[in-house]
Amino acid sequence: MAKYIMKRIAYILLSLYLIITATFFLMQAAPGSPFASERKMTPALEKQMEEAYGLNDPIHEQYIDYLVNAITFDFGPSFKYVGQDVMDIILRSFPYSIVLGLEAIFIALGLGVLFGVFAALKHNRFGDYTAMVIAVLGISVPSFIMATILQYIFAIQLDLFSVARMESFWDTILPALALATTPLAFIARLMRSSMLDVLSSDYIKTAKSKGMSQRIVTYKHGLRNAMLPVISYMGPLVAGILTGSFVIEKIFGIPGLGSEFVTSITNRDYTVIMGTTVFYSVLLLISILIVDLIYGIVDPRIKINAKGGGK
Amino acid sequence: MAQPNLTSADFEPLHIDHAESEKIVGESTSYWKDAWRRFRKNKLALTGITILLLLGFMAIFGADISGEDYRTNDLMSTNIAPSADHWFGTDTLGRDIFARTWDGARISLFIGLTAAFLDIIIGIIWGAVSGYFGGRVDEYMMRFADILSGLPYLLVVILLMVVMGEGIWTMIIAMVVTGWINMARIVRGQVMQLRSEEYVLASRSLGASSSRLLFKHLVPNTLGPILVTLTLTVPNAIFTEAFLSFLGLGVPMPDPSWGVMTSEALGALQYYPYQLFFPAFFICLTMLAFNVIGDGLRDALDPKERK
């Protein structure tokens, strides 16, 4: 177990190293300078600026500096917002995103599992078809369209929610719903097919023939085993919610990390882009590791010590 | 009572011809014919195909039907609701939304199909080579794919778009850079499964070369899963295009794409919701059609999986 975790962490570090290197060189190659604006700077001033940000050191020195600093989560100052460190921006905006993200994951998991189980129990009947039609629709409607539809109906027409504000729990409901739509539909389909598999397996028949009630068979024996594919979907789910937050936060005007990332792209604020990318990658790689570990605990049939690990 | 005319010949046992009884009466069906028969029964998938054909037709001819141009500003007639003159209305710059929708369809479908197609080609080659040779080659090739796929797809695409600049081809390239991995994994799995089949051994013992084995025997037999993945990759690519354009990183002005149009309409959502409705509706319709066809294909090609 310990060996497996060490191996995984080594791979994560390798991936992170590649990400940091790739972002560094990509940003070097990117067109446009952070100091390019309408007001032309005098050459002397520009030189001073570049000096201050260390931009005229040789490239390998900049690279090594960046690597060393990135290890300590120090991504340097923002190019656009004077006096703000990238890490300050990340720490300031991330709490909004994590609240939103967790809420979306909760909605997607809860409702998705519910729909899936419902459809499986009503297999090939009206309820099944309805749930699956809704699921296909959910997969086909992109999150940003869902967001605008929700905004139009509930905020503009019905005036139940605010259009764009982030002050109370009430304000997070619409964005979290929009963020959860696609994964919800996906989980519902996953849950349905795995529940159908499980319900036709031998141990369920045994449990039934022992005279157990339908409810216990379904929830105690069926659900627990049918949840496994859903747990393995958690990794992609986290990734989807992370990237989904870029547009959702923009549409609902939430000052989270996603909208900071999008703003930094429009601003060509390279240090913020790089910092956010690395931060996102760390987050994602660690949550995938956690999901894999949980999977090994929940399903003892999977020996994570085995070669190749888990998959 | 009249006696029936029975002769002793009536009491002879009937002739049983063994060769005759073994004869196959029904028409023989190939794998694809069988799949097509199952697919035809799936009304939802057929509807999906019809919708796609219609969308394709409109993408090619739609912009010419209205006689309007996607880029001509008419500042005297901005924000007109759908009417006889402008079937889908006009946007904030007075451009005809009908014409823009179908030009957008052309661009969105082009990007979606091209990106998916390139994914498939790279994925097939990578996956087939990796799965066929196995061992160390497989280890390295898949490790490389693992590291690439550890990164969030959209994040990579966004970063590449920042570096390469807006444009239709840069967008396609950005999507393909990590998009092929999924395909490669599927092909690899299939090839590894098939590689030990007897017909491969037979072909090998007849002296077939590796490339012949791969592309004549192995890849054609993985075509089913490949086709399903292809139909499910296209809506994903269309979504990514819309997503990027929505963020202002995708298709450059003044070309319309559905993502660009959605993004432009957002500012006027409160007063002119129809401007959002058309592009949003067609994005969803296209993705829906592809998803439904993909599901139908999967059920048809792999009936064991069908629930």
Side-chain angles (χ1 to χ4, degrees):
Chain A
M1 184 74 179
K3 199 177 151 207
Y4 169 74
I5 295 177
M6 291 302 286
K7 199 174 152 196
R8 285 295 303 266
I9 289 175
Y11 270 117
I12 288 179
L13 290 180
L14 182 67
S15 296
L16 277 179
Y17 169 72
L18 285 176
I19 291 164
I20 294 172
T21 310
T23 47
F24 180 81
F25 287 106
L26 282 178
M27 290 304 122
Q28 291 290 331
S33 144
F35 306 126
S37 60
E38 299 89 61
R39 271 191 14 228
K40 195 89 184 85
M41 276 186 289
T42 60
L45 194 58
E46 203 171 317
K47 210 165 171 198
Q48 261 188 1
M49 291 281 272
E50 284 185 349
E51 193 79 44
Y53 287 104
L55 287 182
N56 42 12
D57 294 342
I59 226 158
H60 62 270
E61 267 179 38
Q62 284 189 41
Y63 171 61
I64 290 171
D65 278 352
Y66 190 75
L67 263 187
V68 171
N69 288 335
I71 293 169
T72 56
F73 277 104
D74 171 13
F75 300 108
S78 158
F79 280 146
K80 279 282 155 170
Y81 304 113
V82 179
Q84 291 192 33
D85 270 353
V86 175
M87 213 48 214
D88 291 342
I89 296 179
I90 292 177
L91 289 180
R92 185 185 65 214
S93 54
F94 188 58
Y96 293 106
S97 300
I98 192 120
V99 169
L100 195 64
L102 287 178
E103 206 175 315
I105 290 176
F106 188 72
I107 294 175
L109 268 184
L111 291 183
V113 169
L114 199 72
F115 275 164
V117 171
F118 174 76
L121 292 182
K122 304 259 178 229
H123 187 206
N124 279 344
R125 273 180 281 165
F126 182 70
D128 183 19
Y129 293 132
T130 321
M132 283 308 110
V133 166
I134 294 175
V136 175
L137 283 178
I139 289 176
S140 303
V141 179
S143 56
F144 59 91
I145 289 180
M146 193 66 193
T148 45
I149 295 173
L150 288 175
Q151 207 175 39
Y152 185 71
I153 296 176
F154 292 103
I156 296 178
Q157 291 295 314
L158 300 178
D159 211 11
L160 289 174
F161 297 87
S162 51
V163 175
R165 194 178 57 185
M166 186 70 179
E167 277 160 16
S168 62
F169 172 72
W170 199 240
D171 297 325
T172 62
I173 293 178
L174 286 189
L177 263 181
L179 211 46
T181 311
T182 310
L184 192 160
F186 212 91
I187 291 175
R189 283 165 54 126
L190 209 60
M191 193 65 207
R192 171 177 176 270
S193 67
S194 90
M195 192 73 180
L196 285 177
D197 266 350
V198 167
L199 285 184
S200 60
S201 59
D202 288 342
Y203 62 86
I204 293 287
K205 280 181 200 141
T206 314
K208 272 186 187 160
S209 51
K210 279 197 306 186
M212 275 187 171
S213 73
Q214 178 72 32
R215 214 174 41 137
I216 291 181
V217 169
T218 312
Y219 295 103
K220 190 148 181 278
H221 296 250
L223 191 62
R224 272 179 66 168
N225 288 292
M227 278 294 282
L228 291 173
V230 175
I231 292 174
S232 65
Y233 176 65
M234 287 292 286
L237 173 69
V238 174
I241 295 228
L242 272 186
T243 41
S245 68
F246 300 161
V247 269
I248 301 296
E249 289 183 2
K250 192 184 167 200
I251 292 173
F252 285 97
I254 295 165
L257 193 53
S259 59
E260 285 298 346
F261 182 61
V262 174
T263 317
S264 71
I265 287 170
T266 357
N267 281 343
R268 308 266 158 199
D269 196 344
Y270 292 139
T271 43
V272 180
I273 300 181
M274 289 152 81
T276 325
T277 309
V278 174
F279 185 78
Y280 270 137
S281 309
V282 173
L283 205 67
L284 192 74
L285 290 172
I286 290 179
S287 42
I288 289 177
L289 174 66
I290 293 175
V291 168
D292 281 356
L293 290 182
I294 290 178
Y295 199 73
I297 294 169
V298 177
D299 187 358
R301 282 173 300 182
I302 291 178
K303 287 218 171 59
I304 49 180
N305 294 324
K307 196 175 147 247
K311 280 180 188 164
Chain B
M1 199 189 267
Q3 194 74 276
N5 256 345
L6 289 175
T7 59
S8 57
D10 286 325
F11 295 95
E12 286 291 307
L14 278 173
H15 171 69
I16 297 172
D17 183 0
H18 284 284
E20 189 75 21
S21 66
E22 293 289 317
K23 216 181 209 164
I24 296 165
V25 183
E27 205 184 319
S28 76
T29 14
S30 67
Y31 172 65
W32 291 103
K33 251 190 200 160
D34 206 26
W36 170 238
R37 203 188 54 207
R38 279 190 295 265
F39 186 78
R40 241 176 7 196
K41 283 191 197 139
N42 189 336
K43 292 210 179 60
L44 214 56
L46 285 185
T47 319
I49 286 198
T50 319
I51 291 174
L52 264 195
L53 288 179
L54 281 177
L55 280 172
F57 177 80
M58 287 306 278
I60 298 171
F61 301 110
D64 300 324
I65 292 176
S66 67
E68 303 277 342
D69 180 0
Y70 73 92
R71 57 186 298 172
T72 312
N73 298 350
D74 181 1
L75 296 176
M76 295 305 284
S77 51
T78 57
N79 297 327
I80 296 177
S83 65
D85 268 349
H86 298 284
W87 295 331
F88 289 178
T90 59
D91 67 6
T92 36
L93 291 173
R95 294 175 295 196
D96 185 61
I97 293 182
F98 186 80
R100 281 179 77 71
T101 301
W102 300 119
D103 261 301
R106 200 180 293 174
I107 293 175
S108 294
L109 286 176
F110 174 74
I111 292 175
L113 291 173
T114 315
F117 189 68
L118 290 178
D119 277 352
I120 296 291
I121 291 186
I122 302 176
I124 288 179
I125 296 175
W126 196 275
V129 169
S130 173
Y132 178 75
F133 290 105
R136 183 149 294 179
V137 178
D138 178 44
E139 171 92 2
Y140 287 135
M141 285 177 93
M142 279 300 127
R143 197 56 69 203
F144 178 73
D146 279 350
I147 289 171
L148 266 187
S149 72
L151 315 172
Y153 173 67
L154 272 172
L155 204 59
V156 174
V157 176
I158 289 175
L159 278 180
L160 286 173
M161 289 302 289
V162 170
V163 176
M164 297 193 295
E166 296 167 6
I168 292 174
W169 277 104
T170 52
M171 182 139 71
I172 292 174
I173 293 170
M175 285 187 208
V176 172
V177 165
T178 52
W180 56 272
I181 294 171
N182 192 19
M183 195 66 219
R185 284 200 174 133
I186 290 171
V187 175
R188 171 177 172 266
Q190 290 280 322
V191 166
M192 285 180 86
Q193 221 175 52
L194 293 176
R195 150 177 94 158
S196 49
E197 295 273 326
E198 268 138 18
Y199 66 86
V200 179
L201 184 69
S203 185
R204 198 199 304 268
S205 47
L206 286 173
S209 66
S210 284
S211 69
R212 188 187 157 84
L213 279 177
L214 262 179
F215 294 103
K216 201 89 191 160
H217 294 295
L218 292 173
V219 171
N221 278 305
T222 60
L223 223 51
I226 289 175
L227 205 62
V228 174
T229 322
L230 177 72
T231 34
L232 296 175
T233 310
V234 177
N236 204 12
I238 290 178
F239 165 75
T240 312
E241 181 275 320
F243 188 92
L244 290 173
S245 301
F246 189 82
L247 285 179
L249 274 174
V251 178
M253 302 270 192
D255 283 338
S257 86
W258 289 336
V260 172
M261 292 173 72
T262 324
S263 162
E264 284 170 354
L266 191 62
L269 179 63
Q270 189 159 5
Y271 306 106
Y272 311 111
Y274 65 89
Q275 291 180 1
L276 180 82
F277 173 77
F278 292 107
F281 176 74
F282 285 110
I283 294 177
C284 299
L285 194 67
T286 314
M287 287 181 60
L288 182 67
F290 273 109
N291 280 329
V292 168
I293 295 173
D295 285 353
L297 275 179
R298 186 171 44 207
D299 289 348
L301 292 172
D302 197 355
K304 274 176 297 184
E305 284 294 307
R306 184 163 195 177
K307 305 269 163 57

